[in-house]
């Protein structure tokens, strides 16, 4: 028994005419009659009483009609669900992120995605780069907003969204907090508070390499697993730090952000996903980010600058 048998049967039951059902089904009447006869033979009973003047359902045909209609409706619903799933219209999307650089653009992305795909369940996980990497490899998240990946992850695809300047951050009581720019070499005697290398390998190595190029090896006297902790330790005068400019979104009291001149090489914020994992909702989200990428970059450039933050800190 195939779906076409059920469709032909429902057509005849609806029209109570083999000729009209054949015309409606775009099939020759003899072929339609053969299909109905095959169906009755497979079931083992007559579904229609028919003679030259009348066609009507038997008792068995009436019962079978309800079941056949339900099966056809279920088959059509399954087809539509499969098509919607292939377009990413329902399912689950899990996003890993860290707040500092993403809080200016990620809420708007989520709102726009929700409007287009209201039946997709969105889960968001605030994670440091190391945890995002592990979650991607385990398939626990579909997309990560993170820093450049360390070597050795060929199955992960990345796209740079924008590049962040690196700033010096220090307690507002620090002697250098009131100046507009500082040379990296001027920080050679300072104690540094950085994110632990295991938490953010690319950022840590980036800072150490820049200090080395400036002629010194920084004394890292404190480490943290969250950027908010770094800023708290800086505010508590436990050392200074070098952070991406998006970190200004996290805190503005008791600390000052100071530009570094000459500027250090900016550090990228990247969007990362597992290239070999199929996920239509993820692909739909990636497409949205691609469409909004220029706007995201412009919004980040227009964010409040260092001088504004520094003046607020000193007021």
């Amino acid at each position: 028994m195939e779906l076409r048998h059920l469709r032909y049967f429902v057509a005849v039951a609806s029209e109570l005419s083999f000729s009209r059902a054949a015309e409606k089904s775009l099939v020759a009447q003899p072929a339609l009659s053969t299909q109905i006869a095959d169906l009755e033979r497979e079931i083992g009973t007559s579904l229609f009483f028919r003679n030259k003047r009348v066609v009507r359902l038997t008792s068995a045909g009436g019962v079978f009609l309800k079941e056949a209609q339900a099966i056809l409706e279920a088959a059509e619903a399954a087809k539509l669900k499969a098509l919607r799933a292939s377009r990413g219209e329902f399912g689950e999307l899990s996003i890993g992120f860290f707040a500092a650089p993403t809080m200016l653009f990620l809420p708007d992305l989520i709102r726009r995605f929700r409007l287009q795909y209201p039946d997709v369940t969105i889960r968001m996980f605030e994670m440091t780069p190391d945890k995002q990497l592990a979650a991607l490899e385990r398939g626990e998240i579909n997309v990560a907003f993170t820093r450049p990946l360390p070597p050795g992850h060929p199955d992960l695809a990345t796209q740079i969204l924008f590049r962040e300047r690196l700033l010096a951050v220090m307690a507002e009581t620090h002697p250098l907090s009131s100046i507009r720019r500082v040379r990296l070499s001027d920080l050679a005697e300072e104690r540094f508070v950085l994110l632990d290398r295991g938490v953010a390998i690319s950022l840590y190595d980036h800072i150490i390499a820049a200090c080395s190029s400036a002629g010194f090896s920084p004394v890292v006297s404190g480490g943290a697993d969250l950027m908010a902790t770094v800023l708290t330790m800086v505010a508590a005068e436990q050392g200074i730090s070098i952070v991406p400019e998006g970190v200004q979104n996290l805190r503005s009291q008791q600390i000052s952000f100071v530009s570094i001149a000459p500027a250090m090489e900016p550090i990228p914020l990247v969007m990362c996903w597992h290239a070999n994992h199929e996920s239509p909702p993820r692909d739909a989200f990636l497409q949205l980010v691609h469409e909004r990428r220029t706007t995201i970059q412009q919004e980040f450039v227009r964010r409040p600058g260092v001088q504004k933050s520094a003046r607020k800190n000193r007021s």
Side-chain angles (χ1 to χ4, degrees), residues 116-155:
Q116 294 183 46
Y117 303 97
D119 294 328
V120 173
T121 299
I122 300 175
R123 304 187 187 280
M124 302 185 68
F125 302 92
E126 188 170 1
M127 298 175 168
T128 51
D130 62 319
K131 289 183 172 60
Q132 289 190 50
L133 178 58
L136 276 171
E137 293 184 325
R138 292 193 298 264
E140 295 172 353
I141 59 175
N142 305 116
V143 181
F145 291 95
T146 187
R147 296 301 179 192
L149 301 178
H153 302 281
D155 293 337

Side-chain angles (χ1 to χ4, degrees), residues 265-278:
E265 181 71 21
I267 188 164
L269 180 78
V270 302
M271 181 172 64
C272 183
W273 64 96
H274 205 299
N276 296 330
H277 289 181
E278 181 184 8

Side-chain angles (χ1 to χ4, degrees), residues 2 21 26 28 57 77 80 98 100-101 129 154 174 283 293 296 309:
E2 300 178 12
L26 303 177
L57 286 165
L80 293 176
F98 48 91
H174 193 284
D283 294 342
R293 185 182 176 195
I296 290 170
S309 295

